[in-house]
Amino acid sequence: MKIPFEPYRSRIIEPLTITTEAERCRYIREAGYNPFLLKAEHVLIDLVTDSGTSALSVRQWSAMHGADESFTGSRSFHKFVDAGRKLFGTRHVIPCHQGRAGEHLLAKSVVRQGDVIPANTHFATTRANFEVAGGRAIDLPIAEQGHPDSDYPFKGNIDIGALERSLLDGEISRIPFVLLTVTDNAGGGQPVSLANLRETSHLCRAHSVPLLLDAARIAENCYLIKQREASEQQRTVRAIADEVFTLVDGLFMSMKKDGLGNCGGLIAVNDDEWAERIRANLLISEGVPSAGGLAGRDLESMTVALDEMFDDAHLEYRIASVHALGQQLVDAGVPVLRPFGGHAVYIDGRRFCDHLSNEQLPAWSLSAALYVASGVRSWETGNVMQGRFEEETQQWSWPRLDLLRLAIPRRVYTHSQLEYAGQSLIELYRSRTEISGLRFVYRPQRLAQFVATFEPVSD
Ligand code: F0G
C-alpha cells in the first residue's frame, strides 16, 4: 500500500532526547518495569497511547486564542453545544474533562446495583466505572475476535445472537443500556460494521433498551466502514457517521483520541432525566455544567475537532501509516494481530515470546524489552490489563489475547520515525528468546496497567 504524504506541514518542533541502552535499563528498573511509569523525557518514540497526544491544528490554536473564559455560560460553551447537537443529533451535549469522567458520570447517574451492561468489549476504565457503580460489564465479542490471524474485517462486532439471548433471558429490567465501543480498543482497535450497528440498534429498539456508543474512535471506525464494507464505499465518512448517530440513543466520548484534543470529553444523550442527573453529579465532581471542568479554550479546541476529525485526507493518511507499520512487521514474520487496528498495531505477545508462560506476562515483558532495546514506548492490552485472579479457585483467568500495542499519536510522528519503531521490534524478534519474563511486585485490584510494578522472573 502506498502511503499518501502527510496532509500537513510542521510549524513547531520538539527535539527528541537520545538515551543509551544502559540508561534505559536503569530507567525501566526504577519505573518498576512499568513503561507507563517512565519519565516521558526518557522515551524516544512514544507509542504508549494515541490519547491526548495529538498535535493541534492552526484552526484549533486560533479558536483557542479567541476563547471566552467566563465562569459560566461562555460563548465557547454555547458554540461547543451547538456543534455537538448538530453532529450527534441529541438534545443534550454535556462536556467533561476526559472519557472516564463521562463514564463515571454516566455510571453514577444511570447504573444501579445489580445492573448488567452488555457490550462488544468494554474498555478497562469503562468496565471499572460500571463495576464500581455496582454493575456487571459483560463482553459479547464475535468469535473471530479471538483469532489473531483471521482477516475478518469487523472483529469489533458484537455477537448479535449472544446479545439477543441476554436481552431475552429475564435480565432485561437490569440492562440500563447496551454499549458498542467504536473502535474496539481492548480487542485490537477493530471496527464495528455498519451492518452490525444497524442490527444492534434494531434489536435494542425492539426491546426498548437504549443503545449507547463509546465513541472515542468514531471517525476511524467510520473510515474503516467506508474502506471495508462493500456497500459503503461511495459515501463520505461524515455521511456514514451521520447514519451511525441516528442508530443510537446517546454516546460518551473521550475527546483525546479521534477528538484531537490534549484533554476533554463529552456525553451526548436525548433522555432528559438522564441529562438532569448527569448535570447534578457533574456539578459535584467536575465543575459547572457549562464547562465540565474545562477551560473555554478546551471547549473551542473540541468544537473545531468535531469537524476536523472527519477530514478525509487526515483519516486516509492516518489509517495508511498505521497499516504500513503493520505490514513492515508482517513482512518480517512478526506475529501481528490481523487486520491492523485503526489507531494502533497490536502484536501477539504469547507468540512473540512463546518461551514465556502467561504468569510471566509475555506482552508486558516484550513492552519493557522494546523500551530497553530502542527507547520506543508501547503498552499492553492483555494479561496485566485484563487478567483476573479468581479468589475462589486461586487461579488466574487470562484474556483471550495478550497483546502489545503500538498506538500512533495523531499528526505527531513521521513515517521514518514509525519505521524505526518497526525495525526495532523486528530486531528484537530475532533475539526474542533472550527476553526475560516479569512478575507482579505490586498489583492493585483494578486498572493494574497504570500503577502495577514488576520484577524480572530470573532474578
Ligand atoms: N474508551 C476507550 C475506548 C478508550 O480507549 C479510553 C482510553 C477511554 C474510553 C477512556 O478515555 O482516557 O479520556 O479517560 N484509552 C486510553 C488508551 C487510555 O491509551 O487507549 P480517557
Side-chain angles (χ1 to χ4, degrees), residues 49 98-100 103 123 125 185 214 217 254 257 405:
T49 184
Q98 66 180 85
R100 69 199 73 184
E103 295 160 5
F123 182 67
T125 56
N185 184 12
D214 174 344
R217 298 181 181 86
S254 166
K257 290 125 179 122
R405 186 184 75 168

